[in-house]
Amino acid sequence: MEEILNKILGELVAIKSDVQNIKTEVQSLKDGQSRLEGRIISLEEGQTRLAETQSRLETNMASLEKGQSRLEDRITFIEEGQARMEGQIASLKETQSQLETHITSMSERISSLEGGQNILVNHMRRTLGEIEQLRQSQSRMEFELTEKVRALFDARELQLDINQQIMSTLQRIEAKVDVLQMETAHIRRIK
């Protein structure tokens, strides 16, 4: 019985440790998600700045086109600047595509982690069910043990009463035997 209780206690300690590990992993996931959300917000702000920059560039382009007729020598410089800007925009688009791929990958990993978490929750539920069964079994064993101890105690009390009756009967028999011995001894003297 004590060995079973020690096993149960050991399993409860292991379960408590598993629960603590799960909490730590969940917190880790939450922290990672917060960092990802921060990075996404930063990307969105960067996109907004890029759009504003692009808008300003378009305004500048209109202004340059108006001045194009007067400044033929600056056309080459503007075209080169425009080519660099398009290269940067292409690079930004490529980086944005890579980030979207990375975010998709992270979403898949989060889904996988959620699946693992669901498995852990199911395992915890099964474990809690087993613990409840053990508690019920322990209660039943305690009840049965109590009944058996009570029966043994009652049997002991009954045996003590019987022993007391036997002792009382033996004392009466001894008293009678003593009387008979004295009468026999008296009769032997008389003869």
PDB file of all heavy atoms in Angstrom, residues 95-123:
ATOM      1  N   THR A  95      12.917  41.208 -50.997  1.00  0.00           N
ATOM      2  CA  THR A  95      13.007  41.069 -49.539  1.00  0.00           C
ATOM      3  C   THR A  95      11.620  40.870 -48.941  1.00  0.00           C
ATOM      4  O   THR A  95      11.429  40.033 -48.046  1.00  0.00           O
ATOM      5  CB  THR A  95      13.681  42.321 -48.928  1.00  0.00           C
ATOM      6  OG1 THR A  95      14.961  42.487 -49.510  1.00  0.00           O
ATOM      7  CG2 THR A  95      13.805  42.179 -47.421  1.00  0.00           C
ATOM      8  N   GLN A  96      10.653  41.617 -49.428  1.00  0.00           N
ATOM      9  CA  GLN A  96       9.281  41.470 -48.941  1.00  0.00           C
ATOM     10  C   GLN A  96       8.764  40.060 -49.236  1.00  0.00           C
ATOM     11  O   GLN A  96       8.123  39.432 -48.396  1.00  0.00           O
ATOM     12  CB  GLN A  96       8.381  42.517 -49.592  1.00  0.00           C
ATOM     13  CG  GLN A  96       6.949  42.486 -49.076  1.00  0.00           C
ATOM     14  CD  GLN A  96       6.089  43.576 -49.690  1.00  0.00           C
ATOM     15  OE1 GLN A  96       6.550  44.341 -50.533  1.00  0.00           O
ATOM     16  NE2 GLN A  96       4.844  43.630 -49.283  1.00  0.00           N
ATOM     17  N   SER A  97       9.066  39.529 -50.410  1.00  0.00           N
ATOM     18  CA  SER A  97       8.655  38.177 -50.773  1.00  0.00           C
ATOM     19  C   SER A  97       9.298  37.152 -49.828  1.00  0.00           C
ATOM     20  O   SER A  97       8.647  36.204 -49.371  1.00  0.00           O
ATOM     21  CB  SER A  97       9.036  37.890 -52.215  1.00  0.00           C
ATOM     22  OG  SER A  97       8.755  36.558 -52.543  1.00  0.00           O
ATOM     23  N   GLN A  98      10.590  37.375 -49.531  1.00  0.00           N
ATOM     24  CA  GLN A  98      11.276  36.473 -48.598  1.00  0.00           C
ATOM     25  C   GLN A  98      10.640  36.540 -47.205  1.00  0.00           C
ATOM     26  O   GLN A  98      10.480  35.512 -46.540  1.00  0.00           O
ATOM     27  CB  GLN A  98      12.767  36.834 -48.521  1.00  0.00           C
ATOM     28  CG  GLN A  98      13.543  36.511 -49.771  1.00  0.00           C
ATOM     29  CD  GLN A  98      14.962  37.059 -49.728  1.00  0.00           C
ATOM     30  OE1 GLN A  98      15.322  37.802 -48.830  1.00  0.00           O
ATOM     31  NE2 GLN A  98      15.763  36.687 -50.726  1.00  0.00           N
ATOM     32  N   LEU A  99      10.292  37.747 -46.787  1.00  0.00           N
ATOM     33  CA  LEU A  99       9.638  37.898 -45.476  1.00  0.00           C
ATOM     34  C   LEU A  99       8.279  37.196 -45.459  1.00  0.00           C
ATOM     35  O   LEU A  99       7.912  36.562 -44.467  1.00  0.00           O
ATOM     36  CB  LEU A  99       9.479  39.384 -45.126  1.00  0.00           C
ATOM     37  CG  LEU A  99      10.758  40.100 -44.708  1.00  0.00           C
ATOM     38  CD1 LEU A  99      10.503  41.583 -44.563  1.00  0.00           C
ATOM     39  CD2 LEU A  99      11.284  39.520 -43.408  1.00  0.00           C
ATOM     40  N   GLU A 100       7.535  37.322 -46.553  1.00  0.00           N
ATOM     41  CA  GLU A 100       6.239  36.643 -46.621  1.00  0.00           C
ATOM     42  C   GLU A 100       6.430  35.126 -46.547  1.00  0.00           C
ATOM     43  O   GLU A 100       5.668  34.432 -45.864  1.00  0.00           O
ATOM     44  CB  GLU A 100       5.508  37.038 -47.902  1.00  0.00           C
ATOM     45  CG  GLU A 100       4.977  38.461 -47.875  1.00  0.00           C
ATOM     46  CD  GLU A 100       4.417  38.906 -49.218  1.00  0.00           C
ATOM     47  OE1 GLU A 100       4.558  38.163 -50.235  1.00  0.00           O
ATOM     48  OE2 GLU A 100       3.827  40.003 -49.259  1.00  0.00           O
ATOM     49  N   THR A 101       7.459  34.627 -47.237  1.00  0.00           N
ATOM     50  CA  THR A 101       7.763  33.193 -47.172  1.00  0.00           C
ATOM     51  C   THR A 101       8.122  32.794 -45.747  1.00  0.00           C
ATOM     52  O   THR A 101       7.668  31.765 -45.232  1.00  0.00           O
ATOM     53  CB  THR A 101       8.927  32.849 -48.124  1.00  0.00           C
ATOM     54  OG1 THR A 101       8.572  33.253 -49.442  1.00  0.00           O
ATOM     55  CG2 THR A 101       9.239  31.368 -48.095  1.00  0.00           C
ATOM     56  N   HIS A 102       8.934  33.622 -45.111  1.00  0.00           N
ATOM     57  CA  HIS A 102       9.337  33.356 -43.719  1.00  0.00           C
ATOM     58  C   HIS A 102       8.125  33.374 -42.782  1.00  0.00           C
ATOM     59  O   HIS A 102       7.997  32.519 -41.898  1.00  0.00           O
ATOM     60  CB  HIS A 102      10.378  34.392 -43.279  1.00  0.00           C
ATOM     61  CG  HIS A 102      10.919  34.157 -41.915  1.00  0.00           C
ATOM     62  ND1 HIS A 102      11.726  33.083 -41.609  1.00  0.00           N
ATOM     63  CD2 HIS A 102      10.747  34.847 -40.759  1.00  0.00           C
ATOM     64  CE1 HIS A 102      12.034  33.120 -40.326  1.00  0.00           C
ATOM     65  NE2 HIS A 102      11.458  34.182 -39.788  1.00  0.00           N
ATOM     66  N   ILE A 103       7.243  34.340 -42.983  1.00  0.00           N
ATOM     67  CA  ILE A 103       6.027  34.419 -42.141  1.00  0.00           C
ATOM     68  C   ILE A 103       5.161  33.186 -42.363  1.00  0.00           C
ATOM     69  O   ILE A 103       4.612  32.621 -41.413  1.00  0.00           O
ATOM     70  CB  ILE A 103       5.252  35.725 -42.433  1.00  0.00           C
ATOM     71  CG1 ILE A 103       6.032  36.925 -41.869  1.00  0.00           C
ATOM     72  CG2 ILE A 103       3.850  35.678 -41.850  1.00  0.00           C
ATOM     73  CD1 ILE A 103       5.489  38.271 -42.283  1.00  0.00           C
ATOM     74  N   THR A 104       5.049  32.733 -43.624  1.00  0.00           N
ATOM     75  CA  THR A 104       4.279  31.519 -43.914  1.00  0.00           C
ATOM     76  C   THR A 104       4.894  30.319 -43.199  1.00  0.00           C
ATOM     77  O   THR A 104       4.190  29.504 -42.591  1.00  0.00           O
ATOM     78  CB  THR A 104       4.231  31.266 -45.439  1.00  0.00           C
ATOM     79  OG1 THR A 104       3.650  32.396 -46.067  1.00  0.00           O
ATOM     80  CG2 THR A 104       3.426  30.024 -45.755  1.00  0.00           C
ATOM     81  N   SER A 105       6.215  30.244 -43.259  1.00  0.00           N
ATOM     82  CA  SER A 105       6.922  29.159 -42.563  1.00  0.00           C
ATOM     83  C   SER A 105       6.664  29.220 -41.063  1.00  0.00           C
ATOM     84  O   SER A 105       6.425  28.201 -40.413  1.00  0.00           O
ATOM     85  CB  SER A 105       8.422  29.254 -42.856  1.00  0.00           C
ATOM     86  OG  SER A 105       9.147  28.356 -42.050  1.00  0.00           O
ATOM     87  N   MET A 106       6.720  30.426 -40.507  1.00  0.00           N
ATOM     88  CA  MET A 106       6.470  30.592 -39.064  1.00  0.00           C
ATOM     89  C   MET A 106       5.027  30.188 -38.723  1.00  0.00           C
ATOM     90  O   MET A 106       4.781  29.572 -37.687  1.00  0.00           O
ATOM     91  CB  MET A 106       6.735  32.041 -38.634  1.00  0.00           C
ATOM     92  CG  MET A 106       8.203  32.439 -38.697  1.00  0.00           C
ATOM     93  SD  MET A 106       9.251  31.419 -37.655  1.00  0.00           S
ATOM     94  CE  MET A 106       8.769  32.008 -36.067  1.00  0.00           C
ATOM     95  N   SER A 107       4.090  30.538 -39.593  1.00  0.00           N
ATOM     96  CA  SER A 107       2.688  30.155 -39.361  1.00  0.00           C
ATOM     97  C   SER A 107       2.548  28.638 -39.336  1.00  0.00           C
ATOM     98  O   SER A 107       1.825  28.079 -38.504  1.00  0.00           O
ATOM     99  CB  SER A 107       1.782  30.742 -40.445  1.00  0.00           C
ATOM    100  OG  SER A 107       1.761  32.143 -40.354  1.00  0.00           O
ATOM    101  N   GLU A 108       3.248  27.976 -40.254  1.00  0.00           N
ATOM    102  CA  GLU A 108       3.195  26.507 -40.283  1.00  0.00           C
ATOM    103  C   GLU A 108       3.800  25.933 -39.006  1.00  0.00           C
ATOM    104  O   GLU A 108       3.272  24.978 -38.430  1.00  0.00           O
ATOM    105  CB  GLU A 108       3.937  25.978 -41.510  1.00  0.00           C
ATOM    106  CG  GLU A 108       3.233  26.275 -42.819  1.00  0.00           C
ATOM    107  CD  GLU A 108       4.078  25.947 -44.037  1.00  0.00           C
ATOM    108  OE1 GLU A 108       5.238  25.517 -43.878  1.00  0.00           O
ATOM    109  OE2 GLU A 108       3.568  26.142 -45.154  1.00  0.00           O
ATOM    110  N   ARG A 109       4.904  26.509 -38.565  1.00  0.00           N
ATOM    111  CA  ARG A 109       5.535  26.021 -37.330  1.00  0.00           C
ATOM    112  C   ARG A 109       4.626  26.254 -36.124  1.00  0.00           C
ATOM    113  O   ARG A 109       4.524  25.412 -35.233  1.00  0.00           O
ATOM    114  CB  ARG A 109       6.890  26.719 -37.131  1.00  0.00           C
ATOM    115  CG  ARG A 109       7.931  26.240 -38.133  1.00  0.00           C
ATOM    116  CD  ARG A 109       9.229  27.000 -38.043  1.00  0.00           C
ATOM    117  NE  ARG A 109       9.861  26.837 -36.749  1.00  0.00           N
ATOM    118  CZ  ARG A 109      10.890  27.553 -36.348  1.00  0.00           C
ATOM    119  NH1 ARG A 109      11.402  28.471 -37.135  1.00  0.00           N
ATOM    120  NH2 ARG A 109      11.410  27.348 -35.153  1.00  0.00           N
ATOM    121  N   ILE A 110       3.951  27.416 -36.105  1.00  0.00           N
ATOM    122  CA  ILE A 110       3.023  27.695 -35.002  1.00  0.00           C
ATOM    123  C   ILE A 110       1.882  26.684 -35.030  1.00  0.00           C
ATOM    124  O   ILE A 110       1.471  26.172 -33.985  1.00  0.00           O
ATOM    125  CB  ILE A 110       2.508  29.148 -35.079  1.00  0.00           C
ATOM    126  CG1 ILE A 110       3.636  30.117 -34.699  1.00  0.00           C
ATOM    127  CG2 ILE A 110       1.294  29.351 -34.195  1.00  0.00           C
ATOM    128  CD1 ILE A 110       3.322  31.579 -34.950  1.00  0.00           C
ATOM    129  N   SER A 111       1.378  26.377 -36.226  1.00  0.00           N
ATOM    130  CA  SER A 111       0.311  25.368 -36.339  1.00  0.00           C
ATOM    131  C   SER A 111       0.794  24.023 -35.820  1.00  0.00           C
ATOM    132  O   SER A 111       0.071  23.316 -35.114  1.00  0.00           O
ATOM    133  CB  SER A 111      -0.142  25.231 -37.794  1.00  0.00           C
ATOM    134  OG  SER A 111      -0.732  26.424 -38.237  1.00  0.00           O
ATOM    135  N   SER A 112       2.039  23.682 -36.177  1.00  0.00           N
ATOM    136  CA  SER A 112       2.613  22.424 -35.697  1.00  0.00           C
ATOM    137  C   SER A 112       2.723  22.427 -34.171  1.00  0.00           C
ATOM    138  O   SER A 112       2.421  21.436 -33.506  1.00  0.00           O
ATOM    139  CB  SER A 112       3.986  22.219 -36.334  1.00  0.00           C
ATOM    140  OG  SER A 112       4.622  21.099 -35.775  1.00  0.00           O
ATOM    141  N   LEU A 113       3.160  23.553 -33.628  1.00  0.00           N
ATOM    142  CA  LEU A 113       3.274  23.670 -32.159  1.00  0.00           C
ATOM    143  C   LEU A 113       1.900  23.562 -31.499  1.00  0.00           C
ATOM    144  O   LEU A 113       1.758  22.956 -30.433  1.00  0.00           O
ATOM    145  CB  LEU A 113       3.944  24.994 -31.777  1.00  0.00           C
ATOM    146  CG  LEU A 113       5.449  25.061 -32.053  1.00  0.00           C
ATOM    147  CD1 LEU A 113       5.955  26.472 -31.818  1.00  0.00           C
ATOM    148  CD2 LEU A 113       6.205  24.083 -31.176  1.00  0.00           C
ATOM    149  N   GLU A 114       0.898  24.168 -32.120  1.00  0.00           N
ATOM    150  CA  GLU A 114      -0.456  24.066 -31.574  1.00  0.00           C
ATOM    151  C   GLU A 114      -0.921  22.614 -31.578  1.00  0.00           C
ATOM    152  O   GLU A 114      -1.563  22.152 -30.635  1.00  0.00           O
ATOM    153  CB  GLU A 114      -1.414  24.949 -32.371  1.00  0.00           C
ATOM    154  CG  GLU A 114      -1.232  26.429 -32.107  1.00  0.00           C
ATOM    155  CD  GLU A 114      -2.067  27.316 -33.028  1.00  0.00           C
ATOM    156  OE1 GLU A 114      -2.613  26.799 -34.043  1.00  0.00           O
ATOM    157  OE2 GLU A 114      -2.173  28.515 -32.737  1.00  0.00           O
ATOM    158  N   GLY A 115      -0.593  21.884 -32.654  1.00  0.00           N
ATOM    159  CA  GLY A 115      -0.944  20.450 -32.705  1.00  0.00           C
ATOM    160  C   GLY A 115      -0.260  19.697 -31.580  1.00  0.00           C
ATOM    161  O   GLY A 115      -0.871  18.855 -30.915  1.00  0.00           O
ATOM    162  N   GLY A 116       1.034  19.990 -31.370  1.00  0.00           N
ATOM    163  CA  GLY A 116       1.755  19.352 -30.269  1.00  0.00           C
ATOM    164  C   GLY A 116       1.152  19.715 -28.923  1.00  0.00           C
ATOM    165  O   GLY A 116       1.067  18.882 -28.017  1.00  0.00           O
ATOM    166  N   GLN A 117       0.738  20.956 -28.809  1.00  0.00           N
ATOM    167  CA  GLN A 117       0.116  21.386 -27.557  1.00  0.00           C
ATOM    168  C   GLN A 117      -1.197  20.641 -27.333  1.00  0.00           C
ATOM    169  O   GLN A 117      -1.502  20.234 -26.214  1.00  0.00           O
ATOM    170  CB  GLN A 117      -0.123  22.903 -27.616  1.00  0.00           C
ATOM    171  CG  GLN A 117      -0.585  23.497 -26.303  1.00  0.00           C
ATOM    172  CD  GLN A 117      -0.708  25.012 -26.379  1.00  0.00           C
ATOM    173  OE1 GLN A 117      -0.647  25.600 -27.439  1.00  0.00           O
ATOM    174  NE2 GLN A 117      -0.893  25.622 -25.241  1.00  0.00           N
ATOM    175  N   ASN A 118      -1.959  20.435 -28.401  1.00  0.00           N
ATOM    176  CA  ASN A 118      -3.212  19.674 -28.272  1.00  0.00           C
ATOM    177  C   ASN A 118      -2.933  18.244 -27.832  1.00  0.00           C
ATOM    178  O   ASN A 118      -3.664  17.679 -27.016  1.00  0.00           O
ATOM    179  CB  ASN A 118      -3.986  19.686 -29.598  1.00  0.00           C
ATOM    180  CG  ASN A 118      -4.599  21.043 -29.883  1.00  0.00           C
ATOM    181  OD1 ASN A 118      -4.844  21.824 -28.971  1.00  0.00           O
ATOM    182  ND2 ASN A 118      -4.818  21.345 -31.138  1.00  0.00           N
ATOM    183  N   ILE A 119      -1.865  17.661 -28.371  1.00  0.00           N
ATOM    184  CA  ILE A 119      -1.484  16.301 -27.960  1.00  0.00           C
ATOM    185  C   ILE A 119      -1.151  16.289 -26.472  1.00  0.00           C
ATOM    186  O   ILE A 119      -1.573  15.393 -25.730  1.00  0.00           O
ATOM    187  CB  ILE A 119      -0.289  15.796 -28.803  1.00  0.00           C
ATOM    188  CG1 ILE A 119      -0.746  15.536 -30.240  1.00  0.00           C
ATOM    189  CG2 ILE A 119       0.314  14.541 -28.195  1.00  0.00           C
ATOM    190  CD1 ILE A 119       0.396  15.279 -31.215  1.00  0.00           C
ATOM    191  N   LEU A 120      -0.404  17.294 -26.033  1.00  0.00           N
ATOM    192  CA  LEU A 120      -0.051  17.382 -24.604  1.00  0.00           C
ATOM    193  C   LEU A 120      -1.298  17.554 -23.735  1.00  0.00           C
ATOM    194  O   LEU A 120      -1.400  16.972 -22.656  1.00  0.00           O
ATOM    195  CB  LEU A 120       0.921  18.541 -24.367  1.00  0.00           C
ATOM    196  CG  LEU A 120       2.343  18.320 -24.879  1.00  0.00           C
ATOM    197  CD1 LEU A 120       3.156  19.594 -24.744  1.00  0.00           C
ATOM    198  CD2 LEU A 120       3.015  17.186 -24.124  1.00  0.00           C
ATOM    199  N   VAL A 121      -2.246  18.362 -24.203  1.00  0.00           N
ATOM    200  CA  VAL A 121      -3.479  18.565 -23.438  1.00  0.00           C
ATOM    201  C   VAL A 121      -4.232  17.244 -23.319  1.00  0.00           C
ATOM    202  O   VAL A 121      -4.717  16.879 -22.237  1.00  0.00           O
ATOM    203  CB  VAL A 121      -4.356  19.655 -24.110  1.00  0.00           C
ATOM    204  CG1 VAL A 121      -5.768  19.640 -23.555  1.00  0.00           C
ATOM    205  CG2 VAL A 121      -3.720  21.028 -23.914  1.00  0.00           C
ATOM    206  N   ASN A 122      -4.314  16.494 -24.435  1.00  0.00           N
ATOM    207  CA  ASN A 122      -4.990  15.196 -24.391  1.00  0.00           C
ATOM    208  C   ASN A 122      -4.280  14.247 -23.439  1.00  0.00           C
ATOM    209  O   ASN A 122      -4.921  13.496 -22.686  1.00  0.00           O
ATOM    210  CB  ASN A 122      -5.083  14.584 -25.794  1.00  0.00           C
ATOM    211  CG  ASN A 122      -6.050  15.336 -26.687  1.00  0.00           C
ATOM    212  OD1 ASN A 122      -6.969  15.986 -26.197  1.00  0.00           O
ATOM    213  ND2 ASN A 122      -5.845  15.269 -27.982  1.00  0.00           N
ATOM    214  N   HIS A 123      -2.959  14.262 -23.485  1.00  0.00           N
ATOM    215  CA  HIS A 123      -2.177  13.412 -22.564  1.00  0.00           C
ATOM    216  C   HIS A 123      -2.445  13.805 -21.108  1.00  0.00           C
ATOM    217  O   HIS A 123      -2.601  12.937 -20.245  1.00  0.00           O
ATOM    218  CB  HIS A 123      -0.689  13.526 -22.897  1.00  0.00           C
ATOM    219  CG  HIS A 123       0.173  12.691 -22.011  1.00  0.00           C
ATOM    220  ND1 HIS A 123       0.174  11.312 -22.061  1.00  0.00           N
ATOM    221  CD2 HIS A 123       1.045  13.041 -21.025  1.00  0.00           C
ATOM    222  CE1 HIS A 123       1.013  10.851 -21.152  1.00  0.00           C
ATOM    223  NE2 HIS A 123       1.552  11.875 -20.511  1.00  0.00           N
TER     224      HIS A 123
END
